[in-house]
Amino acid sequence: MNEFEDLLNSVSQVETGDVVSAEVLTVDATQANVAISGTGVEGVLTLRELTNDRDADINDFVKVGEVLDVLVLRQVVGKDTDTVTYLVSKKRLEARKAWDKLVGREEEVVTVKGTRAVKGGLSVEFEGVRGFIPASMLDTRFVRNTERFVGQEFDAKIKEVDPKENRFILSRREVVEAATAAARAEVFGKLAVGDVVTGKVARITSFGAFIDLGGVDGLVHLTELSHERNVSPKSVVTVGEEIEVKVLDLNEEEGRVSLSLKATTPGPWDGVEQKLAAGDVIEGTVKRLTDFGAFVEVLPGIDGLVHVSQISHKRIENPKEALTVGQEVTVKVLKFDRERNRVSLGLKQLGEDPWLAIMSRYPKGSIVKARVTNLTDYGCFAEIAEGVEGLVHVSEMDHTNKNIHPSKVVQIGDEVDVMVLEVDEERRRISLGIKQTRANPWEEFAKAHEKGEKVSGTIKSITDFGIFIGLNGRS
């Protein structure tokens, strides 16, 4: 038997798919030459058949003289020579063993390594077997950027194993959910309403900040961040910062924890009784204007309300007529309600009261100049002095028509003569009349005509009980 026949006989002992023992003969940059034990033939073990890492150093995996178990992939016959070699793989043998170990392990949690971001999810490796985690199963929220998991080792639950189809599906989300549930149960078991605990700022939103309490995120609402109003969450806390918060409410069923940061710090109302009292005159800054009044900051974090009726002795329809935001003002404390944390303030109390001695200044029957300030269906309001307005009832406007609309007699801004009819100093009300300052046509008619005299007129209206005639003069 010649040498070539001996070689063929030895080759016949090696079959594709066999697991054989091989000794490393030489190692270069990309592959190692091995001798298949007991056959007299050699094989080629490439870097790709050692690891999935294409940038790895082959010398980290094999050494000359080392004996390895490998899987025979296929026969390779040289083109120019009669040399017969075999392509072998250590990686695939390990994968086959790993596949065998995976069968029946569904729902088991194992540690995997993220290897590559692929369409629809992440490719991972577990004991030489390539698996896949869909993006929807990477976290409790859908993950769009799976790159951040590449190179990381983490736990995942085996969901499906099919060696024939090379199908290996896992879920990281279920592991995270289970850990979160366990951590939530532990945290809720320790927490109680009123507790002051330490947590780390996890996220900041426009409506507040989420605080990691060690497995459960609690919310500090915007209104609970600071005693000051209208603050930005980012101006109070920063992500990663450790802070002390007070537990306001717990809802284990929904996994919600309501927290307060401001409750852990002294509030502006603490000890305010020693700083404010009814009757005090203090400086303040206008912070907000509303239709019903102005809020003035009188102490840091303490705003009092100046009701629109307390701004000026003059009629003020809107606070913007007298005040602007940021304006420095002097106010008087009218009422201090510590139980409800409310302060009522006044501005007009610091000015001269135009109603003092009003009866002596404007006695009943006196005639004065007035400026019409407002019209209503029942009359008009007229200012007889700064801050002093009286009502001219519609019945006091015209001698001949008690139901005339005020706009037929006067307009806003008109200067008119009025007579003071009544003064109620206690209720701060003055009744005025316009018709009393003008000639009475009835009196003039009575002076010009005698009883029984004939006069001419124009029929104005006809009713069931008679006829109304407008009198023009003598017939």
Side-chain angles (χ1 to χ4, degrees):
M1 184 180 294
N2 59 36
E3 183 179 350
F4 184 67
E5 289 177 339
D6 291 339
L7 180 59
L8 288 177
N9 289 335
S10 64
V11 170
S12 63
Q13 300 175 26
V14 180
E15 299 290 342
T16 298
D18 286 350
V19 176
V20 297
S21 178
E23 181 182 354
V24 179
L25 301 177
T26 61
V27 179
D28 60 26
T30 60
Q31 66 182 38
N33 291 323
V34 298
I36 298 176
S37 302
T39 65
V41 297
E42 296 182 0
V44 176
L45 179 59
T46 64
L47 177 62
R48 188 173 181 178
E49 295 302 331
L50 282 167
T51 177
N52 290 325
D53 186 358
R54 298 181 181 181
D55 296 324
D57 184 351
I58 194 171
N59 292 292
D60 293 335
F61 296 90
V62 292
K63 305 289 185 201
V64 173
E66 185 178 1
V67 177
L68 309 169
D69 286 335
V70 293
L71 177 66
V72 179
L73 299 181
R74 66 176 184 271
Q75 187 184 85
V76 180
V77 179
K79 293 181 180 180
D80 301 327
T81 66
D82 293 331
T83 304
V84 176
T85 59
Y86 283 85
L87 181 63
V88 297
S89 174
K90 182 174 184 291
K91 181 182 73 174
R92 299 193 198 193
L93 177 59
E94 292 173 348
R96 177 190 284 183
K97 294 178 180 178
W99 276 109
D100 292 340
K101 292 180 181 179
L102 285 176
V103 174
R105 295 176 66 180
E106 286 83 357
E107 300 304 310
E108 183 179 333
V109 176
V110 296
T111 301
V112 300
K113 182 176 182 180
T115 56
R116 189 159 59 98
V118 295
K119 184 178 180 180
L122 179 74
S123 181
V124 297
E125 184 177 359
F126 171 65
E127 295 183 356
V129 179
R130 182 178 298 174
F132 176 70
I133 301 179
S136 61
M137 299 172 73
L138 268 171
D139 210 334
T140 53
R141 296 183 179 88
F142 185 81
V143 177
R144 296 189 182 278
N145 180 21
T146 59
E147 287 283 353
R148 63 188 179 93
F149 290 97
V150 174
Q152 290 190 23
E153 288 190 350
F154 52 84
D155 288 344
K157 181 180 284 189
I158 299 173
K159 301 304 297 179
E160 186 178 348
V161 178
D162 188 345
K164 293 181 179 179
E165 298 293 334
N166 283 335
R167 186 175 177 81
F168 181 28
I169 306 298
L170 304 99
S171 171
R172 177 179 177 273
R173 184 186 67 196
E174 291 189 23
V175 175
V176 174
E177 288 175 343
T180 301
R184 178 183 298 172
E186 182 179 356
V187 171
F188 275 100
K190 296 178 181 178
L191 288 180
V193 173
D195 287 352
V196 175
V197 296
T198 300
K200 183 178 290 187
V201 180
R203 287 184 292 132
I204 297 176
T205 70
S206 59
F207 54 85
F210 286 93
I211 312 301
D212 183 1
L213 301 177
V216 174
D217 284 356
L219 173 64
V220 180
H221 191 268
L222 178 64
T223 56
E224 294 296 332
L225 278 170
S226 172
H227 293 288
E228 297 182 28
R229 296 184 179 182
N230 301 320
V231 296
S232 167
K234 291 183 179 179
S235 67
V236 182
V237 294
T238 56
V239 173
E241 178 184 1
E242 284 197 350
I243 58 175
E244 282 194 340
V245 288
K246 186 174 183 178
V247 180
L248 300 182
D249 188 40
L250 294 169
N251 188 328
E252 185 171 0
E253 185 177 337
E254 296 183 8
R256 292 181 181 178
V257 182
S258 297
L259 306 170
S260 175
L261 176 61
K262 74 178 185 182
T264 64
T265 60
W269 292 91
D270 294 342
V272 74
E273 298 89 341
Q274 286 74 47
K275 302 174 185 177
L276 281 181
D280 287 352
V281 175
I282 52 180
E283 300 295 319
T285 303
V286 178
K287 289 295 185 180
R288 287 187 295 139
L289 295 176
T290 68
D291 292 340
F292 55 84
F295 287 93
V296 178
E297 185 179 56
V298 292
L299 289 171
I302 296 181
D303 292 353
L305 172 65
V306 182
H307 191 268
V308 65
S309 63
Q310 302 299 324
I311 291 177
S312 173
H313 291 291
K314 291 179 59 177
R315 178 184 291 272
I316 297 292
E317 298 293 338
N318 192 299
K320 292 180 181 179
E321 297 174 24
L323 300 169
T324 58
V325 173
Q327 181 179 346
E328 300 291 330
V329 293
T330 302
V331 292
K332 185 174 183 177
V333 179
L334 304 181
K335 186 178 180 181
F336 175 46
D337 187 343
R338 179 64 179 89
E339 185 176 338
R340 299 170 69 190
N341 287 345
R342 290 184 179 180
V343 181
S344 298
L345 306 171
L347 273 170
K348 71 180 185 181
Q349 288 76 8
L350 302 179
E352 183 179 351
D353 187 353
W355 285 86
L356 293 177
I358 193 74
M359 292 183 71
S360 61
R361 292 163 56 201
Y362 301 100
K364 183 178 179 179
S366 59
I367 296 176
V368 296
K369 290 285 186 183
R371 181 176 63 85
V372 178
T373 58
N374 193 24
L375 296 179
T376 69
D377 291 337
Y378 54 85
C380 75
F381 287 92
E383 186 179 58
I384 61 175
E386 185 172 353
V388 179
E389 287 184 347
L391 172 65
V392 181
H393 191 268
V394 65
S395 63
E396 303 297 340
M397 287 188 161
D398 188 84
H399 287 287
T400 60
N401 188 351
K402 292 185 178 182
N403 297 315
I404 192 170
H405 194 276
S407 63
K408 299 293 185 181
V409 181
V410 293
Q411 298 294 322
I412 293 177
D414 285 356
E415 297 282 343
V416 294
D417 288 331
V418 295
M419 178 181 284
V420 179
L421 303 180
E422 295 289 342
V423 178
D424 187 339
E425 193 169 352
E426 184 178 343
R427 298 172 68 190
R428 300 198 171 208
R429 291 183 179 180
I430 297 180
S431 297
L432 305 172
I434 292 178
K435 71 182 184 181
Q436 290 80 0
T437 66
R438 298 176 180 180
N440 188 336
W442 290 104
E443 293 179 355
E444 292 182 352
F445 186 85
K447 291 178 181 179
H449 301 283
E450 296 179 0
K451 184 177 180 180
E453 183 180 348
K454 292 182 179 181
V455 294
S456 63
T458 303
I459 296 175
K460 295 295 184 179
S461 64
I462 300 174
T463 68
D464 294 339
F465 55 84
I467 299 172
F468 287 93
I469 299 175
L471 301 176
N472 301 317
R474 295 170 184 253
S475 60

